[in-house]
Amino acid sequence: MRYFIGNWKMFGVPNSINILKKINSFYSKDKNRNKYRVIVTPPYTLIQAYSAYFKGKKITIGAQNCYQKDGFSSDTAAVSPYMIKSVGAEYTLVGHSDNRSEGETDFMLRNKVSLALKNNLTVVYCIGESKSEKKNKRTFSVLKRQLKKVLDKKIKKNKIIVAYEPVWSIGSGKIPTSDDLKKTTLYIKKILRGIFKGKSPAVLYGGSVNGENSALFKKIKEIDGFLIGGASKSSKKFIDIIKNYYR
Ligand code: PEP
């Protein structure tokens, strides 16, 4: 199974659902539709309406983050995994570099992952090295740390997806070489097999994926799909990624 996950970030108002309606109509008729899943993570403000609309349809809705406490609390502006699940989300991203850069710690991320799983959300756990870490040849040690400090074998493996997003690639138009990406994906899967004592969860790539480069990635069979930011805000661009991947 492949995954095409669209991360809208700070984008969207109720009417923006028209973008997803177009993607859903392509997806419903696509001859390759049984080979992949489409998940979109709009901002919190749209999760309830979009989940209700797409219930029983092809697209699945998720959240972009969740708070590290569950249920209700006195933390202003926080949204718990329980609250996200209650409005119909089935997935949540955790550890996106935008949020890590605002101070998310490993301890917070561990709580987010375990509470999201407790609420039966599938977690898309984001990892990735920064530009300077790459330059200093620390990519593998950074990824290993991000995986081992947050995931462990008690976690429901079938409810975890890992998204490898090099920070220097997000929104920059730059992508890793095929060779680097293959090596890194294999390395991530090796670490995950060690953590889970068995088969690795799905590992996605994210960072400047678009309709022009998605075909390049299909040669790397180890990549189980994509986390797509900028290009997920346009139905045409998002559909082109899927079309060109399967061409
Ligand atoms: C992202 O923010 O997760 C992302 C991959 O963004 P972009 O596709 O725009 O690089």
Side-chain angles (χ1 to χ4, degrees), residues 222-241:
E222 293 77 14
I223 296 177
D224 301 300
F226 305 98
L227 182 52
I228 302 151
S232 70
K233 296 180 270 184
S234 143
S235 55
K236 179 172 184 319
K237 287 183 184 169
F238 194 80
I239 292 168
D240 276 352
I241 290 172

PDB file of all heavy atoms in Angstrom, residues 222-241:
ATOM      1  N   GLU A 222      11.566   1.141  -1.816  1.00  0.00           N
ATOM      2  CA  GLU A 222      11.500   1.170  -0.345  1.00  0.00           C
ATOM      3  C   GLU A 222      10.621   2.313   0.169  1.00  0.00           C
ATOM      4  O   GLU A 222      10.181   2.288   1.307  1.00  0.00           O
ATOM      5  CB  GLU A 222      12.910   1.339   0.245  1.00  0.00           C
ATOM      6  CG  GLU A 222      13.840   0.165   0.024  1.00  0.00           C
ATOM      7  CD  GLU A 222      14.417   0.085  -1.393  1.00  0.00           C
ATOM      8  OE1 GLU A 222      14.316   1.074  -2.162  1.00  0.00           O
ATOM      9  OE2 GLU A 222      14.959  -0.978  -1.728  1.00  0.00           O
ATOM     10  N   ILE A 223      10.383   3.332  -0.661  1.00  0.00           N
ATOM     11  CA  ILE A 223       9.556   4.459  -0.216  1.00  0.00           C
ATOM     12  C   ILE A 223       8.084   4.094  -0.395  1.00  0.00           C
ATOM     13  O   ILE A 223       7.637   3.758  -1.485  1.00  0.00           O
ATOM     14  CB  ILE A 223       9.896   5.737  -1.016  1.00  0.00           C
ATOM     15  CG1 ILE A 223      11.337   6.147  -0.735  1.00  0.00           C
ATOM     16  CG2 ILE A 223       8.944   6.872  -0.673  1.00  0.00           C
ATOM     17  CD1 ILE A 223      11.788   7.347  -1.516  1.00  0.00           C
ATOM     18  N   ASP A 224       7.341   4.169   0.710  1.00  0.00           N
ATOM     19  CA  ASP A 224       5.951   3.714   0.697  1.00  0.00           C
ATOM     20  C   ASP A 224       4.953   4.835   0.409  1.00  0.00           C
ATOM     21  O   ASP A 224       3.747   4.621   0.547  1.00  0.00           O
ATOM     22  CB  ASP A 224       5.620   3.052   2.040  1.00  0.00           C
ATOM     23  CG  ASP A 224       6.541   1.862   2.313  1.00  0.00           C
ATOM     24  OD1 ASP A 224       6.535   0.921   1.512  1.00  0.00           O
ATOM     25  OD2 ASP A 224       7.294   1.891   3.311  1.00  0.00           O
ATOM     26  N   GLY A 225       5.437   6.004   0.059  1.00  0.00           N
ATOM     27  CA  GLY A 225       4.512   7.088  -0.259  1.00  0.00           C
ATOM     28  C   GLY A 225       5.110   8.431   0.117  1.00  0.00           C
ATOM     29  O   GLY A 225       6.313   8.534   0.379  1.00  0.00           O
ATOM     30  N   PHE A 226       4.246   9.444   0.175  1.00  0.00           N
ATOM     31  CA  PHE A 226       4.730  10.818   0.294  1.00  0.00           C
ATOM     32  C   PHE A 226       3.902  11.654   1.262  1.00  0.00           C
ATOM     33  O   PHE A 226       2.694  11.465   1.363  1.00  0.00           O
ATOM     34  CB  PHE A 226       4.669  11.505  -1.076  1.00  0.00           C
ATOM     35  CG  PHE A 226       5.406  10.729  -2.120  1.00  0.00           C
ATOM     36  CD1 PHE A 226       4.721   9.889  -2.979  1.00  0.00           C
ATOM     37  CD2 PHE A 226       6.783  10.796  -2.195  1.00  0.00           C
ATOM     38  CE1 PHE A 226       5.416   9.131  -3.921  1.00  0.00           C
ATOM     39  CE2 PHE A 226       7.481  10.049  -3.126  1.00  0.00           C
ATOM     40  CZ  PHE A 226       6.795   9.214  -3.991  1.00  0.00           C
ATOM     41  N   LEU A 227       4.604  12.588   1.897  1.00  0.00           N
ATOM     42  CA  LEU A 227       3.932  13.638   2.660  1.00  0.00           C
ATOM     43  C   LEU A 227       4.144  14.913   1.841  1.00  0.00           C
ATOM     44  O   LEU A 227       5.283  15.287   1.550  1.00  0.00           O
ATOM     45  CB  LEU A 227       4.540  13.740   4.065  1.00  0.00           C
ATOM     46  CG  LEU A 227       3.932  14.763   5.023  1.00  0.00           C
ATOM     47  CD1 LEU A 227       2.420  14.615   5.141  1.00  0.00           C
ATOM     48  CD2 LEU A 227       4.541  14.599   6.421  1.00  0.00           C
ATOM     49  N   ILE A 228       3.041  15.511   1.442  1.00  0.00           N
ATOM     50  CA  ILE A 228       3.093  16.585   0.445  1.00  0.00           C
ATOM     51  C   ILE A 228       2.535  17.875   1.041  1.00  0.00           C
ATOM     52  O   ILE A 228       1.376  17.912   1.478  1.00  0.00           O
ATOM     53  CB  ILE A 228       2.250  16.163  -0.794  1.00  0.00           C
ATOM     54  CG1 ILE A 228       2.800  14.855  -1.368  1.00  0.00           C
ATOM     55  CG2 ILE A 228       2.228  17.279  -1.838  1.00  0.00           C
ATOM     56  CD1 ILE A 228       1.752  14.009  -2.069  1.00  0.00           C
ATOM     57  N   GLY A 229       3.357  18.925   1.078  1.00  0.00           N
ATOM     58  CA  GLY A 229       2.910  20.197   1.633  1.00  0.00           C
ATOM     59  C   GLY A 229       2.328  21.085   0.549  1.00  0.00           C
ATOM     60  O   GLY A 229       1.168  20.943   0.141  1.00  0.00           O
ATOM     61  N   GLY A 230       3.159  21.990   0.033  1.00  0.00           N
ATOM     62  CA  GLY A 230       2.732  22.991  -0.952  1.00  0.00           C
ATOM     63  C   GLY A 230       1.811  22.448  -2.047  1.00  0.00           C
ATOM     64  O   GLY A 230       0.747  23.030  -2.313  1.00  0.00           O
ATOM     65  N   ALA A 231       2.194  21.348  -2.657  1.00  0.00           N
ATOM     66  CA  ALA A 231       1.438  20.834  -3.809  1.00  0.00           C
ATOM     67  C   ALA A 231       0.087  20.228  -3.433  1.00  0.00           C
ATOM     68  O   ALA A 231      -0.730  19.945  -4.313  1.00  0.00           O
ATOM     69  CB  ALA A 231       2.283  19.814  -4.572  1.00  0.00           C
ATOM     70  N   SER A 232      -0.175  20.074  -2.132  1.00  0.00           N
ATOM     71  CA  SER A 232      -1.472  19.489  -1.751  1.00  0.00           C
ATOM     72  C   SER A 232      -2.576  20.548  -1.692  1.00  0.00           C
ATOM     73  O   SER A 232      -3.741  20.225  -1.487  1.00  0.00           O
ATOM     74  CB  SER A 232      -1.366  18.756  -0.413  1.00  0.00           C
ATOM     75  OG  SER A 232      -1.178  19.679   0.646  1.00  0.00           O
ATOM     76  N   LYS A 233      -2.185  21.814  -1.880  1.00  0.00           N
ATOM     77  CA  LYS A 233      -3.183  22.873  -1.819  1.00  0.00           C
ATOM     78  C   LYS A 233      -3.825  23.129  -3.181  1.00  0.00           C
ATOM     79  O   LYS A 233      -4.677  23.997  -3.329  1.00  0.00           O
ATOM     80  CB  LYS A 233      -2.543  24.161  -1.278  1.00  0.00           C
ATOM     81  CG  LYS A 233      -2.060  23.977   0.163  1.00  0.00           C
ATOM     82  CD  LYS A 233      -1.440  25.221   0.724  1.00  0.00           C
ATOM     83  CE  LYS A 233       0.044  25.261   0.449  1.00  0.00           C
ATOM     84  NZ  LYS A 233       0.715  26.417   1.049  1.00  0.00           N
ATOM     85  N   SER A 234      -3.384  22.383  -4.197  1.00  0.00           N
ATOM     86  CA  SER A 234      -3.969  22.491  -5.533  1.00  0.00           C
ATOM     87  C   SER A 234      -4.384  21.097  -5.978  1.00  0.00           C
ATOM     88  O   SER A 234      -3.576  20.165  -5.925  1.00  0.00           O
ATOM     89  CB  SER A 234      -2.910  23.070  -6.486  1.00  0.00           C
ATOM     90  OG  SER A 234      -2.998  22.472  -7.771  1.00  0.00           O
ATOM     91  N   SER A 235      -5.651  20.954  -6.387  1.00  0.00           N
ATOM     92  CA  SER A 235      -6.105  19.617  -6.794  1.00  0.00           C
ATOM     93  C   SER A 235      -5.289  19.125  -7.986  1.00  0.00           C
ATOM     94  O   SER A 235      -4.880  17.967  -8.036  1.00  0.00           O
ATOM     95  CB  SER A 235      -7.597  19.618  -7.121  1.00  0.00           C
ATOM     96  OG  SER A 235      -7.880  20.595  -8.083  1.00  0.00           O
ATOM     97  N   LYS A 236      -5.009  20.031  -8.934  1.00  0.00           N
ATOM     98  CA  LYS A 236      -4.266  19.601 -10.126  1.00  0.00           C
ATOM     99  C   LYS A 236      -2.868  19.092  -9.756  1.00  0.00           C
ATOM    100  O   LYS A 236      -2.433  18.030 -10.202  1.00  0.00           O
ATOM    101  CB  LYS A 236      -4.170  20.748 -11.136  1.00  0.00           C
ATOM    102  CG  LYS A 236      -3.386  20.333 -12.358  1.00  0.00           C
ATOM    103  CD  LYS A 236      -3.389  21.317 -13.490  1.00  0.00           C
ATOM    104  CE  LYS A 236      -2.662  20.791 -14.722  1.00  0.00           C
ATOM    105  NZ  LYS A 236      -1.429  20.065 -14.466  1.00  0.00           N
ATOM    106  N   LYS A 237      -2.183  19.877  -8.923  1.00  0.00           N
ATOM    107  CA  LYS A 237      -0.811  19.473  -8.554  1.00  0.00           C
ATOM    108  C   LYS A 237      -0.813  18.153  -7.785  1.00  0.00           C
ATOM    109  O   LYS A 237       0.040  17.300  -7.999  1.00  0.00           O
ATOM    110  CB  LYS A 237      -0.138  20.572  -7.706  1.00  0.00           C
ATOM    111  CG  LYS A 237       0.247  21.779  -8.547  1.00  0.00           C
ATOM    112  CD  LYS A 237       0.969  22.820  -7.710  1.00  0.00           C
ATOM    113  CE  LYS A 237       1.263  24.050  -8.553  1.00  0.00           C
ATOM    114  NZ  LYS A 237       1.715  25.179  -7.735  1.00  0.00           N
ATOM    115  N   PHE A 238      -1.774  17.995  -6.905  1.00  0.00           N
ATOM    116  CA  PHE A 238      -1.828  16.773  -6.095  1.00  0.00           C
ATOM    117  C   PHE A 238      -2.144  15.564  -6.991  1.00  0.00           C
ATOM    118  O   PHE A 238      -1.510  14.512  -6.896  1.00  0.00           O
ATOM    119  CB  PHE A 238      -2.872  16.929  -4.987  1.00  0.00           C
ATOM    120  CG  PHE A 238      -2.774  15.883  -3.905  1.00  0.00           C
ATOM    121  CD1 PHE A 238      -1.826  15.989  -2.894  1.00  0.00           C
ATOM    122  CD2 PHE A 238      -3.628  14.785  -3.892  1.00  0.00           C
ATOM    123  CE1 PHE A 238      -1.735  15.027  -1.885  1.00  0.00           C
ATOM    124  CE2 PHE A 238      -3.547  13.820  -2.891  1.00  0.00           C
ATOM    125  CZ  PHE A 238      -2.606  13.946  -1.892  1.00  0.00           C
ATOM    126  N   ILE A 239      -3.107  15.740  -7.890  1.00  0.00           N
ATOM    127  CA  ILE A 239      -3.488  14.643  -8.795  1.00  0.00           C
ATOM    128  C   ILE A 239      -2.320  14.305  -9.730  1.00  0.00           C
ATOM    129  O   ILE A 239      -2.053  13.132 -10.005  1.00  0.00           O
ATOM    130  CB  ILE A 239      -4.778  15.017  -9.584  1.00  0.00           C
ATOM    131  CG1 ILE A 239      -5.968  15.075  -8.624  1.00  0.00           C
ATOM    132  CG2 ILE A 239      -5.045  14.024 -10.717  1.00  0.00           C
ATOM    133  CD1 ILE A 239      -7.232  15.718  -9.209  1.00  0.00           C
ATOM    134  N   ASP A 240      -1.605  15.331 -10.183  1.00  0.00           N
ATOM    135  CA  ASP A 240      -0.434  15.089 -11.058  1.00  0.00           C
ATOM    136  C   ASP A 240       0.620  14.226 -10.359  1.00  0.00           C
ATOM    137  O   ASP A 240       1.269  13.395 -10.996  1.00  0.00           O
ATOM    138  CB  ASP A 240       0.227  16.413 -11.474  1.00  0.00           C
ATOM    139  CG  ASP A 240      -0.475  17.029 -12.677  1.00  0.00           C
ATOM    140  OD1 ASP A 240      -1.363  16.359 -13.257  1.00  0.00           O
ATOM    141  OD2 ASP A 240      -0.138  18.178 -13.028  1.00  0.00           O
ATOM    142  N   ILE A 241       0.798  14.436  -9.066  1.00  0.00           N
ATOM    143  CA  ILE A 241       1.776  13.625  -8.325  1.00  0.00           C
ATOM    144  C   ILE A 241       1.373  12.147  -8.412  1.00  0.00           C
ATOM    145  O   ILE A 241       2.193  11.279  -8.723  1.00  0.00           O
ATOM    146  CB  ILE A 241       1.865  14.086  -6.850  1.00  0.00           C
ATOM    147  CG1 ILE A 241       2.536  15.460  -6.771  1.00  0.00           C
ATOM    148  CG2 ILE A 241       2.623  13.061  -5.998  1.00  0.00           C
ATOM    149  CD1 ILE A 241       2.510  16.112  -5.393  1.00  0.00           C
TER     150      ILE A 241
END
